[in-house]
Amino acid sequence: MKLATYNNGRRDGQLMLVSRDLSQCVAVGAIAHTMQQLLDNWALFAPQLQELSDALNTGLLQNAVAFDVNQCLSPFPRAYQWADGSAYVNHVELVRKARGAEMPATFWTDPLVYQGGSDSFIAPTADIPLASEEWGIDFESEIAVVTDDVPMGVKTEAAEKHIKLLMLVNDVSLRNLIPGELAKGFGFFQSKPSSSFSPVAITPDELGESWADSRVHLPLITHLNGELFGQPNAGVDMTFNFSELVAHVAKTRPLGAGAIIGSGTISNYDRSAGSSCLAEKRMLETIADGQPETSFMGFGNTVRIEMLDHEGNSIFGAIDQKVVQYHPE
Amino acid sequence: MKLATYNNGRRDGQLMLVSRDLSQCVAVGAIAHTMQQLLDNWALFAPQLQELSDALNTGLLQNAVAFDVNQCLSPFPRAYQWADGSAYVNHVELVRKARGAEMPATFWTDPLVYQGGSDSFIAPTADIPLASEEWGIDFESEIAVVTDDVPMGVKTEAAEKHIKLLMLVNDVSLRNLIPGELAKGFGFFQSKPSSSFSPVAITPDELGESWADSRVHLPLITHLNGELFGQPNAGVDMTFNFSELVAHVAKTRPLGAGAIIGSGTISNYDRSAGSSCLAEKRMLETIADGQPETSFMGFGNTVRIEMLDHEGNSIFGAIDQKVVQYHPE
């Protein structure tokens, strides 16, 4: 089934069930008001929603209305956990290579994950407000999973059954703030402003055979200012699959229901697929020509992130955003 | 006023109003069911709760019952934001000195903050379950503030009015996992398991003159296995005050209501005050004798973190926890 959160003026919005073709939707407040309530009670509510979803997809729900992505908040307008991996190690290797540094061999066996902030996600078609272009504004096109309650120390083999939903992500990054912040040793903070997620979250079964080995075997398509920027296949070169990422982040702590775990920037060795962030393109340019040619995003620039099924239909709806200047009070 | 969250079998518990002397409490479900609901609607609900609090403190509430810290969950059993600073730069300097590294001068002017995980906080008197003593189990005694909605780019001068509550923290740390994790460059993750907070959260006015300059001017008292371990004054040597920390974390993103911002380990230059974590004591031993003498915590060890007013009364109730062995499924 497919789910979204409509803006109803409340912080956590209104949970909506969405048809497979993204044409119709229906509020399901009789089962759960919010996405978090659904995840908090997944075993109880998901079967009820699945029945409704089947009815919606066969056109049997009288109260269904047209689905409008512009009414969507992030599926979780705020969440209790957002941990983002860097599972495409090829991308990490490239980052290091561009600055002439060796990548430790353990990066191929020990997942790299950062703890993200989850109190303020941006709606999928809302502007991205930032105060300065000097920060080096970049997108990162990714996939994320959402779990139910995951016990501490879960084994990789047992992790996949905790994956309940999938979403697309724009992990907005401020590249020029990263070096100074990482040099301080405590990871990202100011360099990772609010992230955005796709209008629709889906259960893994919606992907059919494209969900296999805890990976999504489809291209993730990014357009920058209306032009195709990259379409690497998310199932290729993903060193750590989602089950491994979940097991990694749950090693010393349980994960609460609704925990969001990201893949990191999708990246293929096959460079003809393009990239999923400006930084990678700039690194490839630096390796080739000694310096980057592509600029970071400026105010007014747009980014669109989408995934299509084999028939060309949008699976999650599109993240479609414009960077705009923010003026602090 | 003083507030707590009782365990009522639900994920977010039941909001309780607690008397100043921590002897009495009352459920306030008619105003807000949970701490998060209160923070989501602070301007509306806080004045109503303040009236009830005044009545509770003067013995006028008929339905008040004895307050029992063992019924407490964390004031926020889960939260949307937990960012922990390292505001006692003297402590950071010591960490570096113990490993023979210089501390960059900017550490005195640019706050160090890490993004914590907030989906599973441990109750104040609950055991701390961890799978291995080899991880180097340590406590960190800290203070945290809770904000309402903070706009992105808030100025330090405007930040203090967003501080609505104060709590004590045990920022549990796995010291032997830190070097490997920080070497990877993305900050803490597995090395920072679930944190714990004091039974009671208080509004700043409850501290009287001990809340000044966005700092708490009282000793934070830590006992390890029943023996006094340290009592540094939280108002001394705090390089960045809470308003500065809030402004720092809100530079590139808004903070959602109920955001928790921590001080980092309390530490005084006056070493006779003792320490607020085992790592600092071990560093002092290393600097003095070339190697640490004090061990990290083992299963069965206890830590108690508390703050007393000038009359010797507990302000927040005590964090009082035992480390126990966790057996993964």
Side-chain angles (χ1 to χ4, degrees), chain B residues 67 84 95 102 116 234 281 294:
Chain B
F67 177 60
D84 197 12
V95 179
E102 282 288 303
K281 187 162 191 212
T294 303

Side-chain angles (χ1 to χ4, degrees), chain A:
Chain A
M1 58 191 169
K2 300 193 175 190
L3 298 153
T5 295
Y6 261 20
N7 187 352
N8 64 349
R10 300 179 68 93
R11 290 174 185 269
D12 299 301
Q14 168 65 53
L15 180 63
M16 305 295 290
L17 192 62
V18 182
S19 64
R20 181 160 297 148
D21 65 1
L22 308 185
S23 70
Q24 300 280 301
C25 67
V26 63
V28 289
I31 297 171
H33 289 290
T34 70
M35 194 74 80
Q36 184 63 47
Q37 284 178 6
L38 169 57
L39 270 294
D40 283 351
N41 303 280
W42 183 267
L44 182 66
F45 293 160
Q48 301 173 36
L49 282 175
Q50 186 60 57
E51 276 189 43
L52 270 184
S53 176
D54 295 343
L56 178 64
N57 283 326
T58 47
L60 294 176
L61 281 195
Q62 301 287 332
N63 53 342
V65 297
F67 178 58
D68 177 8
V69 292
N70 293 310
Q71 291 196 50
C72 288
L73 299 175
S74 172
F76 294 81
R78 53 183 178 175
Y80 297 108
Q81 174 60 272
W82 160 228
D84 197 10
S86 197
Y88 297 81
V89 178
N90 140 55
H91 170 79
V92 181
E93 199 176 30
L94 211 51
V95 179
R96 300 273 171 149
K97 193 172 172 188
R99 63 171 201 247
E102 282 287 305
M103 189 182 75
T106 55
F107 276 39
W108 293 102
T109 51
D110 181 36
L112 192 58
V113 171
Y114 83 89
Q115 178 65 63
S118 52
D119 52 338
S120 62
F121 294 137
I122 300 177
T125 59
D127 292 340
I128 300 170
L130 290 166
S132 173
E133 290 177 327
E134 302 297 309
W135 291 342
I137 303 165
D138 200 356
F139 55 87
E140 288 189 0
S141 308
E142 310 186 3
I143 299 170
V145 299
V146 180
T147 72
D148 63 358
D149 292 291
V150 179
M152 174 159 57
V154 69
K155 300 275 193 303
T156 298
E157 313 81 78
E160 185 168 308
K161 71 171 187 286
H162 293 289
I163 296 173
K164 301 306 180 189
L165 295 172
L166 290 147
M167 307 184 289
L168 306 183
V169 190
N170 179 10
D171 180 38
V172 183
S173 297
L174 303 174
R175 299 295 179 187
N176 295 339
L177 300 186
I178 290 180
E181 208 152 52
L182 295 197
K184 288 158 74 179
F186 275 19
F188 308 101
F189 202 98
Q190 294 177 337
S191 50
K192 292 285 185 180
S194 304
S195 304
S196 309
F197 294 85
S198 50
V200 173
I202 69 168
T203 49
D205 61 288
E206 292 286 347
L207 290 173
E209 294 181 356
S210 297
W211 174 248
D213 304 322
S214 274
R215 292 177 177 86
V216 179
H217 296 269
L218 285 169
L220 183 62
I221 306 164
T222 302
H223 285 83
L224 177 66
N225 298 323
E227 290 184 18
L228 181 64
F229 183 80
Q231 47 185 339
N233 190 305
V236 176
D237 302 325
M238 190 189 195
T239 309
F240 305 104
N241 69 19
F242 282 111
S243 294
E244 291 171 307
L245 293 177
V246 169
H248 180 85
V249 297
K251 184 180 174 189
T252 64
R253 62 185 305 141
L255 299 181
I260 305 170
I261 314 296
S263 66
T265 307
I266 313 288
S267 177
N268 288 170
Y269 272 109
D270 174 5
R271 302 300 175 209
S272 71
S275 294
S276 300
C277 67
L278 289 163
E280 184 175 287
K281 188 162 191 212
R282 287 166 55 90
M283 288 184 283
L284 290 166
E285 291 166 351
T286 301
I287 291 166
D289 308 320
Q291 59 181 34
E293 186 191 337
T294 302
S295 301
F296 288 121
M297 294 182 85
F299 300 135
N301 286 178
T302 61
V303 61
R304 181 182 170 95
I305 302 168
E306 197 164 20
M307 182 172 272
L308 307 180
D309 65 19
H310 293 302
E311 285 72 48
N313 303 307
S314 184
I315 299 173
F316 299 88
I319 296 174
D320 198 348
Q321 302 184 288
K322 182 164 70 178
V323 174
V324 300
Q325 182 154 25
Y326 175 78
H327 299 281
E329 284 168 18

